Each structure stands twice: as C-alpha cells, then as structure tokens.
Amino acid sequence: MTELKVKEIKTLRYKRPVVEKGYANQTLYVNLSDAEISTKPVSEKMKEIFVGGKGFDLWLLWNAVKGTTKWNDPENAICIACGPLGGTPVYPGSGKSIVTSISATTGSVMDSNVGGYFGPYLKFSGFDALEIQGKTNTPTIVFIDGISQQIQILEVTGLPDEAHEISEILTNHFGQGKPRNISVVSTGPGAKHSLIGCLNFSWYDAKRSRTRLKQAGRGGLGTVFADKGLKAIVTRCDTVTVAMNNPADEAALREVAKLHSQEIVEQDPKQNQMSSVGTAHLVTIMNDYDLLPTNNFRYGQHTDAPKMGMEVYRGLFDKGYDGCWVGCTLACAHGIKDFVPSTGPYKGGKVFVDGPEYETIAGCGSNIGVFDPLHVVEMNFYCDTYGLDSISVGTSIAFAMECFEMGLINETHTGGMNLSFGNGQAALELVHQMARGNGFGIIVGQGVRRMKHIFSTEYGANRAVMEDIGMEAKGLEFSEYMPKESLAQQGGYGLALKGPQHDEAWLIFLDMVHNFMPTFEQKAEALHWFPMFRTWFGLCGLCKLPWNDVVPADNKQTKEPAKVMQHVGWYTRYFNAVTGRKLDPEDLITMSERVYNFQKIFNLKMGFGRREHDAIPYRAMGPVTVEEYESRQERYDGQLKDIYQIDIDGKKTVDKVKILRKLREQRYEELKDAVYKRRGWTKDGIPTLETARKLGIDFPEVIDVLKANGVV
C-alpha cells in the first residue's frame, strides 16, 4: 500500500460554541478554489423559518447558486446538516445527516438523507451545517476537528479510490487511538465516471472493530463531490451524551425517549423485525401484493422472489447490534461478514458488506430479473465502495436490459454483452465498467434520461417507446416500488420535488397493503399531509423509520392509523423538550410546509418545478405492452367494465391498452389538480403569492422567482 501523505493547505482555529437547545448557532463555510474557511451565524429568523437540517441546507444553497448554475460549476455547493434534534443518543433514529446540492442527474435541487455519525459530530464540533463550494485539482480532505477546535484543508496522497478503504484508513489516521470519534464522508471511482455517484457516511462499529457505511444515494451527490476534487470530509468528536444538545427540558426528553424506545423493543419483534432483518422484510410483502418491480417494472411479482426474502438474509446477516446511531433501538443497519466476491478487484477475498436493504434487493435483483441473493450482496458491495447509487444502478440497468430485449439496442452497442433480463454477470460487469470508466457501463452510468437521448440520437432507437418504459422523472431514476395500481404512489413519485424517490411520499404500503386511503379524495389529501410530515424529519435530523415502521399495538383502532398520531404526539414532545418551544402536532406540519414550498420555488429558480415537470412515464401508471396487459388481463378487463363502464366485448388487447391508458392518464392529471389546490398552488403547480405570504417565505427574491413564473 502506498504511504499516506497529508499536506496542510489551510487551518482555521476556532472556539467551539456550546450547543444551546439543539443549535450550535453557526455554520461552516469552505471554498476549495481559494482555500477559504469561515463561519456564518445562524439567526433566530433562520431557525424559525428553516428549522435546521434540510432547511438550513436549502437556505445556504439558495444563496450560493444562481438560476444558471450547473452541477459542475465551482459555485455549486454541497451542504450537509444535522438538525436540532439530531445527535440525541437516547431517542431512536436521531443520527441523520441531510445532504443537498444541485444534482448531477436532474440539474435541480437534490436532497438525500443518510445515517452514520457525521451530522451529529459536525454539530457537536460547533456547526449546524457545512457548505463547501469551489474546486481543486489535487485530492483534498476537509478535516473538522471538534476536539482540538480547528478546521483544516489538507492535500492528501496515497489514499486508495474505494470508499470502504478510504473510510477505514482515515478513521485510523485521524482517530488517534479512538476510532469511534471519527466519521468520514467519501465516494468512490464510480462517482468520477458516472452521473449517479453516491456518498458514503461512516461510523465505527466497536463490537466488530471496523468502519461501517451508510449512503446518501440519490441524484448524483457523489458525482458532485468527486468533481470538486474532494477525497473525503472527516469530523472528530468526543463521546456523545444527552447533555451535549443542551435540551431545554432534559427530563421531559428522557421520558418521551423511553416511551418510544420501549415500544420498539416490545413491538418490533411482533411486527416487521427490523432489528434482525432490516427492510428485507418488504421483499415478500411487495411480491404478495404485486408491487415488487420485476424486469424494469413490467410486473410486480415473481415466483422466485422468496429466494431473496427476509429469511434468506436473516441467515446471511452478521449477528449483533446494528444501529447506525448511538442507542437506536430499531438498529436496522445490518451487514454481512466475510463475504467473498466472485468478480472485480476484490474477487476471492473477504469483505464486509453493509446491507443489502430492500431497495438494493429489488433494484439490483428482481428489477433486472435476478433472484440470487448472493448476486445482490455483491452488487451492493461494489455499488457502495465504487460510490454508486444502487437504486439508480438497478433502474438504469433494468432499462438497458429491456431496450436490449426489445431490439432497441444490440450487442454492437453493449460491447458484445448479452443484456437479457436475468444476466447477473453482465450487470456486475457494467458496475465494474462504471468504476473503470470504460465500456457500455459509461453509457448506463449516465442514467435513464441520458440513455434515452443517446439511444435515440446515436443508435436510432424509438424515442416514444423509451419514454413509456424509461423509469425516470425529472431526470431521477424511480426507486423500487411498482406503482401501476396505486394512484397515490403515482402522485407520490410524480409530485415529489426532487424526482421519484419514496422518502417524500411512501404511500404504496398504506394504499395497497393497508387500504388506508380508498377514495380519490383521501389519496389527494394524503399527498399533502404525508410529504409535509416526512419533510419534518429531514429538518430535525431524524430517521423516519421509527415513526411508522413499528407502530403502537392498538394503532389500527385509532382514528387515523396511517398517520400513527401517538408517535406524532411523541415527536412534538421531543421537539419541545429540546428546543424549548411550545408547539402542537399541527405546528410540525406548518414548519415543514414552509420549507417544502421554499424548495418548490427553488426548483423554479433553477428552471424546473412546473406542471410539465410532474409528468411520469406511462409504465408507472399502467401496462405499456399487450404482454403486460394480458399478464393481468382479468384485473384490467374488470376495471374497464366495472369502474369505467366500458363495453370491451370483441375488443382486441391492443385497443384495451389504449383505452385504459387514456383513462389512467386522465386520472393522474385530475390528481395533480386536486393536490395542487390542496397545497395552495396554481394549476401549473406553482405556490401562489398568498401561500408564500401565509407561510412567511415571501422574501423579495422568492417573490421575484414567482413573478418570473407568471404568479402575481
């Protein structure tokens, strides 16, 4: 191994502030182009409007970029924040970091949340958020040392490219014998050669004596990071305690934290068993309800899906505590010890794999027609260590495979590879090519939207067909839920501000499994309330899973079981105990509504955010092909006759496909109208002046953006 050499470029010494009621009350600014390091104050107004976390990120990014800024311009910023509740070691799920930047895949605002210790360590080092602008031509580390109270920009040589090795080496280098004090943000070689790069956030697993990784995956944030010349960001912080957040009422905080933690310990083994299998429990549930994406979202079910179910991964996961934050009783971040890859640079050796979670199992498994759990584990390992978003990798390869099977591309284009569904070896080779920067993997690594352009302009492929089957919206690849039969999830994907990621409105489970929102009006209302409440977690530095993945034993008997109102009440008490504010549950929604609408207007600033940008491919709404229709003919025929009162006697399947399409597309447009109205937006999907004023975000520059988009 090459010797690690570190050269100091710039150092700023500072006095670490005492965190007050969850806030450090300043942010950290680093410019790589001119080696500038400085701090910015956090005002009471900033806390009132933007709360923290994603809200602070968005405000810093808004002020950093212009409407013309591209993802690879030096002025684009990577912002990382925690939140006022983040870093609480007794409340489950309180260790999230939120990353924002102008996306390499969508060209607009991207946010992605991630576990690990970085966000809390950043705050306890004295900063509510970090903003990095500029670029450098030399491999660079930003080191935030909260113990010695200094910030350094360091030039580094001798580091490998793979993320798991970078994190391990830097944890040992900067840990000074205490590796648990270190958290590292890094990416890998795939991020350099693709537009779908992810970021890896580390924490040290003391039981296993190793560095573990979680990913901020969506929107090419790792690609932005690599383009800036960043090799890593490192934080160092001492032992974390409840008192470090200096909560307004520590006793009240401990009381509500105990309630939530105890409930998870009691109910999780009876419900989803996330502390032992993580989100792998979703595989068979999604398959049972015809919602598991299979062969590029053609189908939602496969007879081999149980081969990748939770019992299989229960047997593979290494036993032991797997919390990605101190004291989290959900502890769902499982991993596999001593896995031996069959391909690539680590072939034949033993590696630790963090995961897989449901999204990777579905994306790199069923959606590409592969049902081998060990193949998924290997895809998981290489995506992480190469710095690639496993969701975008899976959905992009699935699209390329369907284009191959439809004859839209051939082996001349793929470099001789047979890209038929089920060819797991070809999928792995594409991932290795993305890391090496060669072969057809470079094309696939551009994502679905750019593949459609390349296939049509350079290969002569039918663009209209690819628009129907290419599973992206706003330039972001769909996450791994098949929404054809769930109008609520179609809206959840299509109306999501950053593109079709489920963290904003994961309604498919509530809609299709629990049937909590059977009417059109209930689905439209859900598309207001749920994105707002889910946004709140990103503002505060929290994980959403403890909210509704484990619920009270009597939740189904409550008035609004989908919202899990007992937990909403607990989160309100939690927020009040830390910040000292006196809010009720409805106030949490208003807090989120401000930031949500601000992000919507931010999209408009970047040239996106109108009704036309909420379009989704027809594959997300219904059967594109005759084959798809006939695979569920009884269902679709029944809907045409019973719901839409269509006489289908004597009609060919191709005609029924057209009729169903017209009806479903019309229904989706009606859903847009209803949701826009509920959110206080125009028919073009833009917040009105009245909405901006009501929410207190009517800053002059916000009003200018609205006026420029015809809102007066």
Side-chain angles (χ1 to χ4, degrees):
M1 181 183 295
T2 308
E3 182 185 1
L4 181 68
K5 293 183 179 178
V6 177
K7 175 185 173 185
E8 179 183 333
I9 303 299
K10 181 74 176 287
T11 295
L12 172 71
R13 291 179 175 78
Y14 69 102
K15 180 174 175 56
R16 186 181 63 237
V18 174
V19 174
E20 294 287 349
K21 299 177 182 177
Y23 291 97
N25 291 311
Q26 65 178 3
T27 65
L28 175 61
Y29 175 78
V30 176
N31 193 310
L32 300 171
S33 296
D34 54 13
E36 177 187 354
I37 306 172
S38 60
T39 61
K40 298 179 180 180
V42 170
S43 67
E44 291 302 315
K45 188 72 172 177
M46 187 172 165
K47 289 190 279 190
E48 178 188 342
I49 299 294
F50 296 102
V51 185
K54 174 175 160 179
F56 281 11
D57 279 351
L58 289 171
W59 180 237
L60 294 173
L61 188 63
W62 169 280
N63 288 296
V65 303
K66 301 187 287 287
T68 54
T69 299
K70 304 301 180 189
W71 71 269
N72 54 357
D73 286 341
E75 68 192 25
N76 187 21
I78 291 178
C79 302
I80 306 174
C82 183
L85 309 191
T88 303
V90 294
Y91 206 103
S94 296
K96 283 282 187 176
S97 304
I98 297 86
V99 190
T100 66
S101 189
I102 300 302
S103 166
T105 54
T106 72
S108 191
V109 184
M110 183 58 57
D111 63 272
S112 193
N113 68 81
V114 57
Y117 288 17
F118 185 87
Y121 280 8
L122 174 70
K123 181 168 73 173
F124 296 140
S125 294
F127 307 103
D128 290 314
L130 166 65
E131 173 190 359
I132 297 183
Q133 274 188 307
K135 284 187 176 185
T136 175
N137 293 323
T138 55
T140 296
I141 293 173
V142 174
F143 180 36
I144 303 159
D145 189 344
I147 296 176
S148 67
Q149 302 180 56
Q150 62 179 10
I151 316 296
Q152 290 185 300
I153 299 175
L154 305 169
E155 182 181 321
V156 60
T157 56
L159 271 180
D161 289 330
E162 288 74 16
H164 74 289
E165 292 198 35
I166 293 173
S167 298
E168 194 80 36
I169 291 169
L170 294 182
T171 295
N172 291 327
H173 179 82
F174 289 107
Q176 300 180 15
K178 296 182 178 179
R180 198 172 183 184
N181 291 351
I182 299 294
S183 181
V184 179
V185 182
S186 65
T187 186
K192 295 178 184 175
H193 305 301
S194 77
L195 296 179
I196 55 176
C198 77
L199 290 173
N200 285 278
F201 282 57
S202 80
W203 84 98
Y204 188 76
D205 183 337
K207 170 184 171 287
R208 299 179 177 88
S209 300
R210 67 178 319 115
T211 301
R212 305 279 302 275
L213 302 175
K214 294 288 283 185
Q215 291 73 40
R218 305 311 326 265
L221 296 174
T223 300
V224 177
F225 190 92
D227 181 70
K228 288 189 172 300
L230 277 168
K231 200 72 175 176
I233 309 170
V234 182
T235 55
R236 189 166 80 106
C237 178
D238 215 335
T239 303
V240 172
T241 66
V242 176
M244 289 176 73
N245 251 334
N246 207 359
D249 188 341
E250 185 174 328
L253 166 59
R254 287 185 179 276
E255 182 181 352
V256 71
K258 185 178 180 181
L259 287 172
H260 207 155
S261 293
Q262 283 186 340
E263 183 188 90
I264 288 174
V265 171
E266 292 169 3
Q267 296 301 321
D268 179 52
K270 303 173 186 175
Q271 296 179 17
N272 294 325
Q273 304 172 56
M274 298 187 71
S275 61
S276 58
V277 298
T279 54
H281 73 280
L282 286 170
V283 175
T284 50
I285 298 174
M286 292 294 114
N287 191 59
D288 290 346
Y289 284 85
D290 205 17
L291 306 172
L292 182 71
T294 304
N295 291 9
N296 194 34
F297 294 84
R298 275 183 187 165
Y299 313 114
Q301 206 165 54
H302 197 282
T303 54
D304 286 338
K307 294 179 180 176
M308 304 189 303
M310 69 175 184
E311 294 308 328
V312 175
Y313 286 105
R314 191 196 303 276
L316 291 172
F317 288 144
D318 189 41
K319 301 293 185 291
Y321 177 74
D322 283 313
C324 68
W325 174 242
V326 184
C328 178
T329 48
L330 200 57
C332 60
H334 304 297
I336 297 172
K337 182 181 177 184
D338 292 340
F339 177 75
V340 180
S342 63
T343 66
Y346 297 91
K347 178 181 178 179
K350 292 181 180 178
V351 297
F352 192 94
V353 184
D354 284 291
E357 298 182 16
Y358 165 79
E359 298 290 335
T360 304
I361 298 170
C364 296
S366 61
N367 209 19
I368 62 173
V370 175
F371 298 90
D372 176 357
L374 297 182
H375 162 83
V376 171
V377 174
E378 187 157 341
M379 289 283 284
N380 189 140
F381 170 72
Y382 278 116
C383 282
D384 289 353
T385 203
Y386 288 161
L388 292 165
D389 172 18
S390 62
I391 295 176
S392 284
V393 165
T395 301
S396 295
I397 292 176
F399 170 71
M401 285 182 162
E402 183 160 14
C403 289
F404 185 85
E405 289 206 343
M406 295 177 80
L408 298 172
I409 61 174
N410 56 47
E411 291 186 359
T412 304
H413 307 121
T414 65
M417 274 193 288
N418 178 347
L419 276 190
S420 299
F421 284 116
N423 191 343
Q425 289 302 304
L428 275 165
E429 176 56 23
L430 288 174
V431 170
H432 293 313
Q433 289 180 355
M434 290 180 206
R436 295 194 299 263
N438 64 10
F440 191 62
I442 294 180
I443 304 297
V444 179
Q446 303 301 298
V448 172
R449 176 163 289 190
R450 286 171 180 78
M451 273 195 283
K452 288 189 292 189
H453 176 73
I454 293 168
F455 292 178
S456 62
T457 58
E458 299 183 22
Y459 307 162
N462 186 316
R463 183 66 184 247
V465 171
M466 292 190 293
E467 292 295 347
D468 279 349
I469 66 171
M471 295 300 285
E472 61 86 15
K474 300 182 175 72
L476 185 70
E477 289 71 32
F478 274 63
S479 68
E480 307 301 336
Y481 300 94
M482 229 274 283
K484 284 178 189 171
E485 300 307 315
S486 172
L487 181 64
Q489 190 57 51
Q490 291 167 29
Y493 275 145
L495 306 183
L497 298 181
K498 63 187 169 196
Q501 169 69 358
H502 56 282
D503 67 336
E504 186 176 305
W506 188 64
L507 297 179
I508 199 162
F509 202 89
L510 302 176
D511 189 24
M512 301 302 293
V513 178
H514 289 313
N515 195 29
F516 281 154
M517 51 193 75
T519 69
F520 180 85
E521 291 73 20
Q522 287 171 319
K523 297 180 199 303
E525 175 61 26
L527 283 163
H528 173 70
W529 193 90
F530 283 91
M532 299 309 150
F533 190 55
R534 295 178 76 91
T535 294
W536 182 82
F537 290 86
L539 306 183
C540 293
L542 302 180
C543 174
K544 302 175 190 69
L545 297 183
W547 161 47
N548 66 351
D549 277 74
V550 180
V551 299
D554 62 350
N555 188 58
K556 281 190 176 178
Q557 284 72 53
T558 61
K559 185 179 178 182
E560 297 181 287
K563 296 179 179 177
V564 198
M565 288 306 294
Q566 178 168 301
H567 288 181
V568 176
W570 284 354
Y571 282 117
T572 308
R573 290 169 59 183
Y574 181 16
F575 185 84
N576 291 344
V578 173
T579 65
R581 296 172 70 178
K582 303 299 179 187
L583 305 181
D584 61 37
E586 270 305 305
D587 294 324
L588 306 191
I589 302 301
T590 303
M591 290 160 66
S592 295
E593 204 172 355
R594 289 192 188 100
V595 178
Y596 193 88
N597 278 269
F598 180 78
Q599 186 170 354
K600 177 71 172 178
I601 295 166
F602 200 162
N603 279 346
L604 291 164
K605 173 179 173 176
M606 304 310 296
F608 302 86
R610 308 179 77 98
R611 186 184 188 104
E612 63 184 285
H613 301 110
D614 290 340
I616 53 177
Y618 184 63
R619 172 65 58 78
M621 291 186 237
V624 171
T625 65
V626 168
E627 182 186 13
E628 282 173 76
Y629 187 101
E630 292 180 342
S631 73
R632 272 75 175 155
Q633 182 162 349
E634 183 177 355
R635 173 194 298 163
Y636 296 135
D637 280 357
Q639 291 176 358
L640 287 174
K641 288 189 292 187
D642 299 336
I643 298 176
Y644 299 110
Q645 309 297 309
I646 303 291
D647 181 4
I648 60 171
D649 287 347
K651 285 187 168 54
K652 296 179 180 177
T653 302
V654 67
D655 295 323
K656 290 187 286 187
V657 169
K658 289 179 182 174
I659 294 169
L660 187 64
R661 176 172 188 151
K662 183 178 179 182
L663 292 167
R664 289 197 171 190
E665 288 180 334
Q666 180 181 334
R667 199 62 168 158
Y668 180 65
E669 293 304 315
E670 291 170 354
L671 182 71
K672 282 186 191 173
D673 287 334
V675 176
Y676 291 166
K677 183 178 179 181
R678 177 63 183 86
R679 291 178 178 177
W681 295 358
T682 70
K683 282 187 171 296
D684 201 18
I686 301 173
T688 64
L689 283 176
E690 181 184 3
T691 298
R693 286 172 180 145
K694 182 188 74 174
L695 295 172
I697 56 172
D698 52 334
F699 316 127
E701 57 268 44
V702 165
I703 298 300
D704 288 346
V705 171
L706 291 176
K707 287 181 177 176
N709 283 275
V711 175
V712 294

